[in-house]
Amino acid sequence: MNPSRAQNKAAQNIGMVALQKAHRAVIGGCELIEQIGRGAMGSVFKARQLSMDRIVAIKLLSPRFAEDKEFVARFKREARAAARLSHPNVIQAVDVGQSQGYHYFVMEYVDGRTISSLIEQHGALSEAFCINAAVQIARAIQAAERLGMVHLDIKPSNLMITLEGTAKLADFGVAMQTVDWASDVQPQDVFGTPEYISPEHALGTPNLDSRSDIYSLGATLYKMLTGRRPFNGASVREMVDARFLNDPASPQTLNPFLSDGICAVVAKMMARDRGARYQNAAELIEDLEYVLARPSTGAIAAAASAPQQPTHAPEPVPDSPVAQPVYVVEARKSALGAVVGSFLLVAVGIATFLLVRNPEILANILRTF
């Protein structure tokens, strides 16, 4: 980077910091309160929309991208895509525009945590929690299907969990209409996040559809269940190439407490050939709900034989007035019940064995009644 570009970038960063610290700074009719997120394209602030007197989130495109038509177009595309998808599991768009030299996007404020922050804090999350979140995001994919849209950047940092346990899909900056891929996207134009994109997406294949989003959700679910990405590499190229050379290790090799059912679902979601995956979100939702309702006996036995199950549901969001979602609490109760029940069965079996081998013990017990 030459000195003039470095100085320009530094000045732009200073401008964003100054904006963050400014008291009562107003952009697009929203009074900035505090910065709550920061990404490659800009920053997200908690703000108050003055006209409606409500709390919102406002994303500001970094000034260094303001003159880049591609970034501005992507920024506006995110807002328009989110506005079209009015769904409980999608972060809703409120407004988009330009003010005081900033391109801004106002959206629904979500009081909660990203999946990536939960994984960073806890590692692998409980199976019931993961499945429930995946079902909700699959419903968001289903809503996008109806509009002929693909998200193309599903990953842990783009999944939010509210205090009440609702999962919401964010960041439609890469989203495209399925018909656009035939004419607008060239094979060398690959967007998204390398760790989670589908094989066909990595190749720049035209006519991508929701099966690519299902793959990315599968890779995200894999990390939620195990705390690790399905593929690794010393470089982005190695990480991408790995999915063409090998299937990911079964999640059970990293987390033996998982059910056979959820491992089978993840494997189908991440099939290299998109024809072998779930062909739409409805098929995926059906299988996820089936697994959630019927835990594997093998997983229960593994939990019963272990002194302590290492995976757990995330703790409540700090200062949350709402307890953990019911499905997380029930998952813990089920696991505890399985352990206690297995312990009692073993105890009864041992007692029966001793009585049969020692009739005198049985006779002494009977004489006491």
Side-chain angles (χ1 to χ4, degrees):
M1 182 180 293
N2 61 51
S4 60
R5 288 184 63 188
Q7 292 171 358
N8 185 40
K9 182 177 178 180
Q12 291 165 346
N13 289 337
I14 291 172
M16 290 296 284
V17 172
L19 179 64
Q20 176 187 350
K21 295 181 178 179
H23 294 291
R24 305 185 68 83
V26 177
I27 301 290
C30 297
E31 182 181 354
L32 306 187
I33 298 175
E34 61 177 329
Q35 186 177 22
I36 56 176
R38 186 175 182 180
M41 292 181 66
S43 298
V44 181
F45 294 83
K46 181 179 180 180
R48 182 178 299 279
Q49 188 180 31
L50 299 177
S51 62
M52 301 296 289
D53 190 26
R54 63 177 174 179
I55 298 298
V56 295
I58 180 170
K59 178 183 286 189
L60 303 180
L61 183 65
S62 175
R64 63 194 180 98
F65 294 128
E67 302 302 321
D68 190 316
K69 293 182 179 180
E70 180 181 342
F71 277 99
V72 172
R74 174 181 168 181
F75 190 78
K76 292 180 178 178
R77 183 166 64 239
E78 176 184 0
R80 290 168 182 158
R84 292 188 64 197
L85 270 174
S86 180
H87 190 273
N89 299 118
V90 173
I91 294 181
Q92 190 62 44
V94 175
D95 189 23
V96 65
Q98 186 174 4
S99 174
Q100 301 183 41
Y102 290 96
H103 291 277
Y104 67 86
F105 166 29
V106 183
M107 68 193 89
E108 168 192 5
Y109 175 72
V110 176
D111 195 1
R113 301 273 299 277
T114 64
I115 288 293
S116 59
S117 70
L118 291 174
I119 296 172
E120 183 177 350
Q121 180 178 356
H122 301 285
L125 307 178
S126 75
E127 180 173 323
F129 176 89
C130 294
I131 296 176
N132 196 289
V135 166
Q136 295 182 68
I137 299 304
R139 289 183 180 135
I141 294 174
Q142 187 176 41
E145 284 176 343
R146 297 190 184 107
L147 296 175
M149 293 174 60
V150 280
H151 186 280
L152 298 179
D153 199 20
I154 294 177
K155 57 185 178 182
S157 61
N158 280 341
L159 272 56
M160 294 284 298
I161 302 293
T162 70
L163 298 181
E164 293 78 17
T166 300
K168 289 181 176 284
L169 180 58
D171 195 352
F172 282 80
V174 183
M176 297 283 285
Q177 291 290 128
T178 54
V179 295
D180 291 340
W181 285 92
S183 57
D184 294 346
V185 179
Q186 301 301 317
Q188 68 271 17
D189 297 329
V190 176
F191 308 97
T193 305
E195 296 94 318
Y196 301 99
I197 61 176
S198 67
E200 65 272 16
H201 187 181
L203 289 173
T205 304
N207 302 318
L208 298 181
D209 54 35
S210 66
R211 290 174 294 181
S212 288
D213 283 345
I214 288 172
Y215 181 99
S216 297
L217 180 56
T220 298
L221 184 55
Y222 187 104
K223 185 165 185 180
M224 292 170 68
L225 293 165
T226 66
R228 300 185 189 179
R229 295 189 299 248
F231 299 106
N232 290 297
S235 65
V236 172
R237 178 60 182 269
E238 285 186 11
M239 191 180 304
V240 172
D241 286 350
R243 72 204 61 205
F244 296 102
L245 302 173
N246 305 295
D247 293 324
S250 170
Q252 281 180 329
T253 63
L254 301 172
N255 180 358
F257 303 94
L258 296 175
S259 69
D260 296 336
I262 192 57
C263 293
V265 169
V266 170
K268 186 171 182 177
M269 293 173 74
M270 296 188 65
R272 271 178 281 179
D273 178 2
R274 57 181 172 179
R277 286 178 220 147
Y278 293 100
Q279 297 301 289
N280 53 60
E283 292 180 2
L284 172 60
I285 292 168
E286 181 179 5
D287 274 10
L288 285 171
E289 290 181 336
Y290 181 90
V291 173
L292 186 63
R294 297 165 179 81
S296 166
T297 54
I300 293 175
S305 64
Q308 184 177 1
Q309 186 175 352
T311 57
H312 55 278
E315 298 300 323
V317 176
D319 302 321
S320 166
V322 182
Q324 291 177 335
V326 173
Y327 53 83
V328 176
V329 176
E330 291 303 319
R332 279 183 165 176
K333 288 181 179 178
S334 296
L336 179 60
V339 173
V340 173
S342 297
F343 176 80
L344 291 176
L345 286 173
V346 171
V348 170
I350 292 173
T352 302
F353 175 78
L354 291 174
L355 291 175
V356 171
R357 294 292 299 271
N358 298 275
E360 293 181 0
I361 296 177
L362 178 59
N364 290 333
I365 292 173
L366 293 175
R367 279 197 293 268
T368 62
F369 290 94

